[in-house]
Amino acid sequence: MASEEIIGLIAAALTTSSFVPQVYKAWKFNSTKDISMTMYLVFCTGTVLWLIYGIRIDSLSIVIANAVTMLLSLLIIIAKLKFK
Amino acid sequence: MASEEIIGLIAAALTTSSFVPQVYKAWKFNSTKDISMTMYLVFCTGTVLWLIYGIRIDSLSIVIANAVTMLLSLLIIIAKLKFK
């Protein structure tokens, strides 16, 4: 594997896993008041386009990262809808 | 410009600009209780690595997106430190 793909995979692991504590916090405390719904709606749409981009430029890091991040941001959107 | 770079730039514009309403909300309402500090610390570190990755694979979309996203996530970290 090329060294840039290793950097990309570590970057992907960090930016993707970063959403886990936010999902955990929202669902544990049932509170999402300070979280911006606009942010997650726009972000989620963006990850769909990044996914297409990753497939087009054949970047494994971008594809994996954005598939998982999209799902995690969806969980935050659901929490935001559920816990006002 | 290749069509995948146009998709990448739109993706970058969306995921990057998505942080603006969160920055605005945190600084307007001086409240960050529901925002996960762990998320933004890990996320910010990840954007630094994405920046290096973008430079290495010569992707303009990734470089611009992550430079700006890193700055916006820093503003959320500062808000989180300032408004408990």
Side-chain angles (χ1 to χ4, degrees), chain A residues 3-5 7-8 14-15 18-19 22 25 31-36 39 42-43 50 53 56 59, chain B residues 3-5 7-8 10 14-15 18-19 22 25 31-36 39 42-43 50 53 56 59:
Chain A
S3 69
E4 57 266 24
E5 280 307 311
I7 296 170
L14 288 177
T15 50
S18 72
F19 286 83
Q22 183 66 81
K25 188 167 187 165
S31 177
T32 58
K33 180 181 63 67
D34 300 328
I35 294 172
S36 165
M39 169 183 166
V42 177
F43 188 85
W50 275 124
Y53 178 72
R56 294 283 287 271
S59 164
Chain B
S3 69
E4 57 265 24
E5 281 307 312
I7 296 171
I10 299 169
L14 288 176
T15 50
S18 72
F19 286 83
Q22 182 66 82
K25 187 166 188 168
S31 177
T32 59
K33 180 180 64 66
D34 301 327
I35 294 172
S36 166
M39 170 184 165
V42 176
F43 187 85
W50 275 123
Y53 179 72
R56 295 283 289 271
S59 164

Side-chain angles (χ1 to χ4, degrees), chain A residues 50-51 53-54 57 59-67, chain B residues 50 53 62:
Chain A
W50 275 124
L51 203 59
Y53 178 72
I57 70 162
S59 164
L60 184 67
S61 307
I62 297 175
V63 169
I64 295 173
N66 286 284
Chain B
W50 275 123
Y53 179 72
I62 298 176

Side-chain angles (χ1 to χ4, degrees), chain A residues 7 34 37 55 74:
Chain A
I7 296 170
D34 300 328
M37 182 62 142
I55 294 164
L74 270 177

Side-chain angles (χ1 to χ4, degrees), chain B residues 31-64:
Chain B
S31 177
T32 59
K33 180 180 64 66
D34 301 327
I35 294 172
S36 166
M37 181 62 141
T38 314
M39 170 184 165
Y40 285 95
L41 289 175
V42 176
F43 187 85
C44 195
T45 310
T47 57
V48 174
L49 287 180
W50 275 123
L51 202 58
I52 297 166
Y53 179 72
I55 293 164
R56 295 283 289 271
I57 71 162
D58 206 18
S59 164
L60 184 66
S61 307
I62 298 176
V63 169
I64 294 174

Side-chain angles (χ1 to χ4, degrees), chain A:
Chain A
M1 192 187 285
S3 69
E4 57 266 24
E5 280 307 311
I6 295 168
I7 296 170
L9 286 173
I10 299 170
L14 288 177
T15 50
T16 298
S17 64
S18 72
F19 286 83
V20 174
Q22 183 66 81
V23 170
Y24 176 79
K25 188 167 187 165
W27 285 87
K28 185 182 179 188
F29 296 104
N30 298 358
S31 177
T32 58
K33 180 181 63 67
D34 300 328
I35 294 172
S36 165
M37 182 62 142
T38 314
M39 169 183 166
Y40 284 95
L41 289 175
V42 177
F43 188 85
C44 196
T45 310
T47 58
V48 174
L49 287 179
W50 275 124
L51 203 59
I52 297 165
Y53 178 72
I55 294 164
R56 294 283 287 271
I57 70 162
D58 206 18
S59 164
L60 184 67
S61 307
I62 297 175
V63 169
I64 295 173
N66 286 284
V68 179
T69 314
M70 190 190 66
L71 291 176
L72 290 170
S73 64
L74 270 177
L75 286 176
I76 295 170
I77 290 170
I78 296 167
K80 186 76 188 163
L81 289 170
K82 204 169 150 78
F83 318 121
K84 294 288 178 188

